[in-house]
Amino acid sequence: MKKFLISIFCIFLFSTQAIAQKINVAFTIDNNYPIYTLLVINSILKNNTSNSDYTFYIVENNLSFLNKIKMKRYVEKRKQKIEFININTDKIDKGKWFYGFSKRITSIAMVRILLPEIMPANVDRVLYLDGDILVLKDLKELYNTDMEGKAFAMAPNISDYKSVKIFSIGKTYYNSGVILMDLNTCRKEKVTAKMLKFVNNNFKYFIYDKKGHKSFLYPDQDLINIVMKDNIKTLSKKWNAQYIYGCCIWKFDDSGIIHYIGPQKPWGFYNFSDEFIKAYFKYWDEASLRRYKMLYGIGGIKTYYISSVKFKIKRFKTELKDMKIIH
């Protein structure tokens, strides 16, 4: 009887493991984001109540060997898989893209539009995530969303920004920090080729002109909203609860994913009393990455204030030119 019960238990255990959900998550990063990406991964695995099997695809632009080893060890120690995909961003930015003083949006961020083409052929669905987020719920529900034939699934943006007026977008303006992609549909409809074609035909709208003006405020986001406007399923805002300057579009307790948009990132040590910031640091302290906390915090503060000063100087000069005080 004892052997019989043990056999039944082993069969049950094997069956449970065999049907475990497989979830693919992709990030696009450079050498500035490995630790923040590991913090996102930590929050995903902390809330993996369904015991899903994760494969994390790190799409990178010359990520250092040390950073790769660091990320690989962290993920594999937690019994999950990690794959690195190196990409040359010249395919998108022609080696000319320049995003202004803050440099918050870089060419590697645009690589998300290449995911349908660069992901392994046997991967039919992937969840793209920005590195400035915190996951608070099991992602299984989000990952299994019925796409209803759409290529992308995204949540509405915090503001209804209308891109360049000469290009039309759909009824909803979406945020590109969380994108669930049906890769089979994407490949069938050649969505990457369509977006690259738009970039090539309208490159002047993505870069600064000689006067320092740029048409698209959020290049990757605007591009997706224009080209994919009829091919996006709307997600609940809880899966991209955008937080900025102490405000959030969704209640903390009901949030599945918190997205810290804007220049003030949580690792910049802002507003310690806020529950959204406290949650980020709580996860950080429990992530076996505490030794990086102060180092990255100092860097975040430095980057923010330098970019803020440069932006104010640029704006002041522009105002002076408009007043014709300087030429």
Side-chain angles (χ1 to χ4, degrees):
M1 184 65 180
K2 184 177 180 181
K3 289 182 178 180
F4 174 77
L5 292 175
I6 292 175
S7 298
I8 295 296
F9 175 77
C10 290
I11 292 172
F12 173 79
L13 181 62
F14 177 79
S15 300
T16 302
Q17 292 176 338
I19 61 173
Q21 172 84 55
K22 293 184 178 181
I23 298 178
N24 303 301
V25 178
F27 300 91
T28 60
I29 69 171
D30 54 24
N31 282 304
N32 294 314
Y33 260 74
I35 298 303
Y36 306 134
T37 303
L38 288 181
L39 288 166
V40 180
I41 290 174
N42 170 70
S43 69
I44 291 172
L45 299 180
K46 285 279 188 181
N47 293 288
N48 184 21
T49 56
S50 60
N51 293 316
S52 299
D53 293 329
Y54 279 88
T55 299
F56 298 103
Y57 291 91
I58 310 300
V59 184
E60 44 84 19
N61 182 18
N62 299 321
L63 195 63
S64 72
F65 177 76
L66 181 61
N67 278 327
K68 285 183 180 180
I69 291 297
K70 189 185 302 179
M71 297 185 77
K72 184 177 177 65
R73 287 176 177 172
Y74 189 89
V75 173
E76 291 183 348
K77 184 178 180 181
R78 287 153 180 80
K79 310 300 182 183
Q80 305 297 331
K81 296 180 181 178
I82 185 168
E83 302 285 345
F84 295 93
I85 302 175
N86 183 264
I87 188 74
N88 185 350
T89 58
D90 285 356
K91 184 173 183 180
I92 297 178
D93 62 23
K94 304 180 184 180
K96 300 177 182 177
W97 230 320
F98 174 65
Y99 285 100
F101 294 120
S102 71
K103 297 183 181 179
R104 288 195 304 112
I105 304 173
T106 59
S107 54
I108 191 65
M110 290 293 294
V111 171
R112 71 195 73 188
I113 73 171
L114 301 181
L115 287 176
E117 300 301 322
I118 64 178
M119 290 290 292
N122 62 339
V123 176
D124 57 11
R125 181 172 287 211
V126 68
L127 176 63
Y128 166 81
L129 297 175
D130 273 354
D132 55 352
I133 72 168
L134 187 68
V135 176
L136 297 180
K137 296 281 194 301
D138 193 320
L139 291 180
K140 183 177 179 179
E141 177 189 341
L142 169 60
Y143 196 78
N144 290 334
T145 297
D146 182 358
M147 302 284 282
E148 299 177 354
K150 304 291 186 182
F152 286 2
M154 303 166 68
N157 195 59
I158 193 171
S159 59
D160 193 21
Y161 177 69
K162 291 297 184 182
S163 306
V164 178
K165 291 182 179 180
I166 63 173
F167 300 111
S168 63
I169 64 172
K171 294 180 180 179
T172 303
Y173 181 72
Y174 296 95
N175 185 277
S176 63
V178 177
I179 310 174
L180 182 61
M181 299 184 182
D182 183 329
L183 297 180
N184 290 333
T185 300
C186 289
R187 292 160 183 153
K188 180 181 178 180
E189 300 186 11
K190 298 183 168 80
V191 298
T192 292
K194 290 177 182 177
M195 286 189 277
L196 285 175
K197 182 179 180 181
F198 184 89
V199 171
N200 290 328
N201 291 343
N202 302 280
F203 194 65
K204 65 180 180 179
Y205 295 107
F206 291 88
I207 59 174
Y208 283 96
D209 60 23
K210 293 180 179 179
K211 295 183 179 179
H213 300 139
K214 177 166 61 69
S215 299
F216 289 133
L217 184 60
Y218 308 111
D220 62 298
Q221 192 164 280
D222 293 337
L223 171 65
I224 291 171
N225 274 278
I226 293 169
V227 178
M228 301 292 293
K229 59 185 177 182
D230 298 321
N231 210 350
I232 302 174
K233 175 183 172 63
T234 302
L235 292 174
S236 166
K237 291 180 181 178
K238 84 170 187 177
W239 293 118
N240 191 341
Q242 296 143 59
Y243 172 96
I244 185 170
Y245 298 124
C247 299
C248 188
I249 61 174
W250 203 260
K251 291 182 179 180
F252 177 82
D253 291 338
D254 296 329
S255 298
I257 294 176
I258 300 172
H259 184 190
Y260 300 88
I261 64 174
Q264 289 190 354
K265 302 302 182 185
W267 54 80
F269 289 79
Y270 304 105
N271 199 3
F272 285 105
S273 62
D274 189 284
E275 61 182 340
F276 290 90
I277 303 299
K278 286 195 294 185
Y280 190 88
F281 282 112
K282 180 179 183 295
Y283 273 84
W284 196 335
D285 289 340
E286 297 173 352
S288 302
L289 295 167
R290 291 187 67 178
R291 61 189 180 279
Y292 297 100
K293 187 174 178 181
M294 185 58 68
L295 176 64
Y296 279 71
I298 292 172
I301 293 172
K302 179 181 176 182
T303 300
Y304 173 74
Y305 281 108
I306 289 177
S307 63
S308 295
V309 170
K310 287 183 176 180
F311 175 77
K312 289 177 181 178
I313 291 174
K314 180 180 174 62
R315 185 172 62 180
F316 181 65
K317 286 183 177 179
T318 301
E319 291 174 351
L320 291 179
K321 286 182 180 179
D322 293 339
M323 295 169 63
K324 297 182 179 180
I325 294 177
I326 62 174
H327 302 283

